[in-house]
Amino acid sequence: MASKTGNAFDFDLFKRLLRYTNPYKLTFYFVAITAILLSFFAVARPYLLQVTIDDSITPKDNGNLIFYVSLMIGFLILEVTSQFFFIYFANLLGQNVVRDLRVNLFKHMLQFKMKYYDKSAVGRLVTRAVSDIETISSIFSQGLFMIISDLLKMIVVLGFMFYKSWQLTLLVITVLPFIIYATRVFQKKMKIAFEDVRTQVADLNTFVQERITGMKIVQLFNREKSEYNNFKNINDRHRKAWVKTVWYNSIFFPIAEMSTSITVGLIVWFGGLQAVNDNPNITLGVIIAFIELSQMLFRPLRQIADKFNTLQMGMVAANRVFGILDTDSTISDEGEKQLQSIKGDIEFKNVRFSYVEGEEVLRGVNFTAKAGETIAIVGATGAGKSTIINLLNRFYEIDSGTIAVDGIDIKDVTIKSLRSEIAVVLQNVFLFADTIMHNIKLDNPDITEDDVITAAKQIGIHDFISSLPNGYHYNVKERGVMLSSGQRQLISFLRAYVSNPSILVLDEATSSVDTYSEQLIQEATDKITKGRTSIVIAHRLATIKKADKIMVMDSGEIVEMGTHDELLLKENGHYRKLYEVQFMAEESI
């Protein structure tokens, strides 16, 4: 997609945007027709004014005067009605386009790899999906059709002016090239200025979103003053970007107004001389009509510049939105096989993977998990434990090797069916600003409230949920802030358990969990891992001991594998060292 910052207008981008009006062709054509009618109604008024002056006021004909005034009122009513339909349906078209575009954008973003979100600021994406798309609606409500309407008015006005007096028209046209040149320069400058404005808006949104989300860190480390100063600098850049647009407006519009005044003066001077010298083609009515016609010629030109500002902002926003729509960062979902009622066998065969090209995180990982087995993964931070979880769910594409479930390469199955058979409990639990029931069901029609309550009783957390205000319908607020970290993790256990997965992936960290919640989590872990294949990033010795197999990872490789007792027998082994440093004190307790 083209992005031509210095150019006044990108027609390829505009044509692409117009495709979103195809489902609303009837509305589009109706708005276009009303724009044409408005251009003719606009000329009717000065023409009737001229006729009224020359045929009624000058000869003092009262009968004609009443007739022409009534005619002007009738045309005014038609013009106002057309204006109403024009504005309403232009805005309606814009909102329809915005709705469809926003839905397409969000649908596209739902398919992105996690790698895309790893590198993208949340605030910037929110800006694209909300304010940028809303700005696009102004292309139709205030930009495109307004400009078309104004251009039609100018064409009809010029044609009528030539018809009435070519001499006065040429006089008006002598000023026109200067206005057109100034408008052209203005448009180019405003395009660059609005690019900067949208960039600064996105930066401001990103900064505010991140600081509000991380306010606890800001206050814990006494960074209030530093972040305040950073915000002042970003906000100042935002102000400067807008001031630049104000500067260009401040120069252009006075020049345009001065040019209009000069034109009126020339009409009065030249037309007055012709009328005094009894030129039959230039009467008092024609002079007054030309004054109004010149205003109608220059006013749309000034408005076109103003509307072009709106159009430019919309086009800049469209360029950014289409930039996301054109981003090819989706996981390939070309598999045709469906996973249903699987046993749960898992095999990693020579799997290599890197988040950043050339920096391998997994280096030829090989292991198998038989149906019903629990495999505990241990190792230092950065060893590659969480990466295995990400790859099994196809959040990322592996560099080479094979990952198979029940002997089927996961690339050959649909992503939906794969993830339907796997449930994940992450260390950092995310809850939506909604009820506990919604956070567990996630609008899955196959899960009833009775299913949720039954599952909660089975894993021993029904009493905890029932003790909350409104029980299962307790609203946990944004990111689940109304619950402790242990309570949030219990909710995530229930969410995984109620989906009845064939494979369970569990990060069972309890570093910030109270003793009571930890006991519930241990009981829940035992319950939900029973009878299903489980891969557990283990942090507690109790879980590790119960595992059928322990994988010890170091620097992206599996360096040891076996049971707890087998691995302890290896002198100077990785697991034995880890046990002596991390787990021995826990066992003694």
Side-chain angles (χ1 to χ4, degrees):
M1 181 188 63
S3 181
K4 305 170 184 176
T5 305
N7 290 353
F9 201 75
D10 187 340
F11 283 100
D12 290 335
L13 179 65
F14 185 64
K15 285 190 291 185
R16 182 177 180 183
L17 188 61
L18 279 182
R19 293 192 200 112
Y20 280 85
T21 66
N22 288 340
Y24 314 102
K25 285 184 177 179
L26 189 62
T27 305
F28 185 90
Y29 292 142
F30 182 78
V31 175
I33 290 169
T34 53
I36 295 171
L37 289 174
L38 283 171
S39 64
F40 285 102
F41 288 145
V43 174
R45 282 189 288 110
Y47 171 70
L48 289 173
L49 180 62
Q50 178 238 313
V51 174
T52 301
I53 292 171
D54 290 341
D55 295 352
S56 302
I57 296 176
T58 302
K60 298 180 181 180
D61 187 336
N62 291 334
N64 270 349
L65 181 62
I66 295 172
F67 171 74
Y68 286 124
V69 169
S70 300
L71 205 57
M72 280 193 284
I73 292 173
F75 271 96
L76 180 61
I77 293 172
L78 286 173
E79 185 177 3
V80 169
T81 304
S82 298
Q83 192 77 31
F84 164 77
F85 284 118
F86 175 76
I87 293 172
Y88 176 78
F89 283 102
N91 279 274
L92 179 64
L93 180 64
Q95 289 303 316
N96 285 336
V97 168
V98 161
R99 178 193 60 193
D100 295 347
L101 189 56
R102 186 175 280 130
V103 167
N104 285 350
L105 179 66
F106 189 71
K107 181 181 179 182
H108 190 62
M109 290 169 64
L110 285 173
Q111 311 304 319
F112 279 159
K113 302 175 185 176
M114 289 299 108
K115 186 175 182 180
Y116 178 85
Y117 292 106
D118 293 341
K119 296 181 178 181
S120 302
V122 174
R124 193 174 295 275
L125 292 177
V126 171
T127 300
R128 300 291 176 266
V130 181
S131 60
D132 275 349
I133 287 189
E134 199 59 46
T135 303
I136 293 173
S137 70
S138 62
I139 291 178
F140 300 96
S141 60
Q142 302 173 40
L144 170 65
F145 291 113
M146 292 291 187
I147 291 174
I148 292 174
S149 179
D150 287 343
L151 285 173
L152 285 172
K153 283 181 184 177
M154 292 174 64
I155 293 170
V156 173
V157 164
L158 268 175
F160 182 74
M161 289 171 73
F162 269 111
Y163 170 73
K164 297 304 294 183
S165 172
W166 64 269
Q167 294 168 303
L168 288 176
T169 303
L170 289 177
L171 198 65
V172 172
I173 287 177
T174 56
V175 184
L176 204 58
F178 177 72
I179 294 292
I180 292 174
Y181 174 76
T183 302
R184 180 69 176 170
V185 173
F186 176 68
Q187 290 167 355
K188 287 187 175 181
K189 296 293 184 182
M190 289 301 285
K191 172 71 184 298
I192 298 172
F194 281 133
E195 283 275 9
D196 193 23
V197 165
R198 299 312 302 171
T199 299
Q200 298 307 324
V201 167
D203 289 346
L204 189 62
N205 285 345
T206 299
F207 184 89
V208 172
Q209 188 271 336
E210 286 183 345
R211 269 51 185 188
I212 291 176
T213 303
M215 188 57 71
K216 184 181 290 186
I217 299 298
V218 172
Q219 294 182 357
L220 277 173
F221 289 90
N222 296 317
R223 304 310 299 164
E224 292 93 338
K225 185 176 180 180
S226 173
E227 296 301 339
Y228 170 72
N229 289 331
N230 289 336
F231 178 79
K232 282 180 64 178
N233 292 333
I234 292 174
N235 197 40
D236 189 53
R237 291 198 296 271
H238 177 263
R239 183 192 69 86
K240 287 178 180 177
W242 273 109
V243 166
K244 191 178 292 185
T245 68
V246 174
W247 167 252
Y248 292 140
N249 278 297
S250 301
I251 294 174
F252 173 76
F253 286 103
I255 290 175
E257 193 65 38
M258 181 184 67
S259 302
T260 304
S261 300
I262 291 172
T263 303
V264 171
L266 290 173
I267 291 171
V268 172
W269 166 71
F270 183 79
L273 287 177
Q274 295 299 311
V276 168
N277 292 324
D278 296 324
N279 186 330
N281 294 322
I282 301 180
T283 62
L284 179 61
V286 171
I287 293 173
I288 293 175
F290 258 79
I291 291 174
E292 186 169 352
L293 287 167
S294 67
Q295 296 294 315
M296 294 176 65
L297 186 65
F298 289 123
R299 190 184 306 120
L301 195 58
R302 294 199 303 273
Q303 288 176 349
I304 283 174
D306 192 31
K307 297 300 183 293
F308 209 90
N309 292 348
T310 302
L311 187 61
Q312 294 287 41
M313 288 193 72
M315 292 297 289
V316 169
N319 190 53
R320 295 177 185 276
V321 170
F322 283 132
I324 296 178
L325 285 171
D326 289 339
T327 300
D328 184 15
S329 186
T330 57
I331 294 287
S332 174
D333 191 13
E334 297 176 354
E336 297 180 354
K337 297 180 181 179
Q338 299 284 333
L339 289 181
Q340 292 179 338
S341 303
I342 64 172
K343 294 186 297 181
D345 291 333
I346 300 172
E347 181 183 16
F348 274 58
K349 188 175 182 180
N350 197 28
V351 174
R352 293 182 175 274
F353 172 75
S354 53
Y355 291 103
V356 179
E357 189 175 350
E359 300 178 14
E360 281 193 332
V361 177
L362 295 186
R363 303 173 181 178
V365 170
N366 292 277
F367 75 88
T368 58
K370 297 297 182 182
E373 277 189 341
T374 296
I375 294 184
I377 307 177
V378 298
T381 301
K385 304 187 298 294
S386 296
T387 301
I388 288 178
I389 294 176
N390 291 331
L391 297 182
L392 182 60
N393 281 276
R394 290 201 69 195
F395 289 142
Y396 300 85
E397 296 280 20
I398 60 176
D399 297 338
S400 62
T402 305
I403 301 175
V405 173
D406 277 12
I408 305 172
D409 192 326
I410 60 173
K411 289 184 178 180
D412 296 332
V413 302
T414 64
I415 291 178
K416 183 177 181 180
S417 70
L418 172 67
R419 292 176 182 169
S420 294
E421 295 292 334
I422 303 173
V424 181
V425 178
L426 297 173
Q427 179 178 349
N428 297 316
V429 180
F430 185 91
L431 298 179
F432 295 98
D434 210 315
T435 64
I436 289 176
M437 183 62 71
H438 177 269
N439 274 286
I440 294 168
K441 292 177 60 178
L442 296 176
D443 292 328
N444 187 338
D446 297 327
I447 301 175
T448 66
E449 290 197 14
D450 288 339
D451 293 335
V452 173
I453 294 171
T454 301
K457 289 177 179 178
Q458 288 174 349
I459 65 175
I461 65 172
H462 173 70
D463 292 339
F464 141 64
I465 297 176
S466 298
S467 67
L468 297 171
N470 298 321
Y472 287 87
H473 296 283
Y474 177 63
N475 194 312
V476 300
K477 305 299 181 183
E478 186 176 0
R479 300 187 306 279
V481 294
M482 302 304 291
L483 301 176
S484 69
S485 58
Q487 290 172 331
R488 289 196 296 271
Q489 196 165 53
L490 287 169
I491 298 300
S492 72
F493 270 85
L494 180 55
R495 181 163 61 192
Y497 183 65
V498 78
S499 66
N500 193 27
S502 300
I503 299 171
L504 178 71
V505 181
L506 174 63
D507 188 339
E508 51 136 34
T510 55
S511 56
S512 58
V513 174
D514 59 87
T515 305
Y516 175 69
S517 295
E518 184 171 356
Q519 183 181 352
L520 289 177
I521 289 171
Q522 183 62 54
E523 293 172 0
T525 301
D526 294 341
K527 182 67 179 178
I528 68 176
T529 57
K530 187 176 181 180
R532 55 172 54 89
T533 309
S534 304
I535 297 178
V536 183
I537 297 178
H539 301 268
R540 287 189 298 268
L541 184 60
T543 303
I544 296 171
K545 278 185 169 183
K546 292 176 183 177
D548 298 298
K549 193 184 300 179
I550 300 170
M551 290 192 332
V552 185
M553 297 196 66
D554 184 53
S555 301
E557 298 177 316
I558 298 174
V559 292
E560 290 177 357
M561 186 178 296
T563 65
H564 171 72
D565 293 332
E566 289 172 349
L567 294 176
L568 280 183
L569 294 176
K570 294 185 178 181
E571 292 188 18
N572 298 319
H574 285 78
Y575 180 77
R576 183 166 176 172
K577 289 179 182 178
L578 187 67
Y579 170 79
E580 291 172 350
V581 172
Q582 185 173 340
F583 299 129
M584 191 176 289
E586 182 183 338
E587 187 171 41
S588 64
I589 293 174

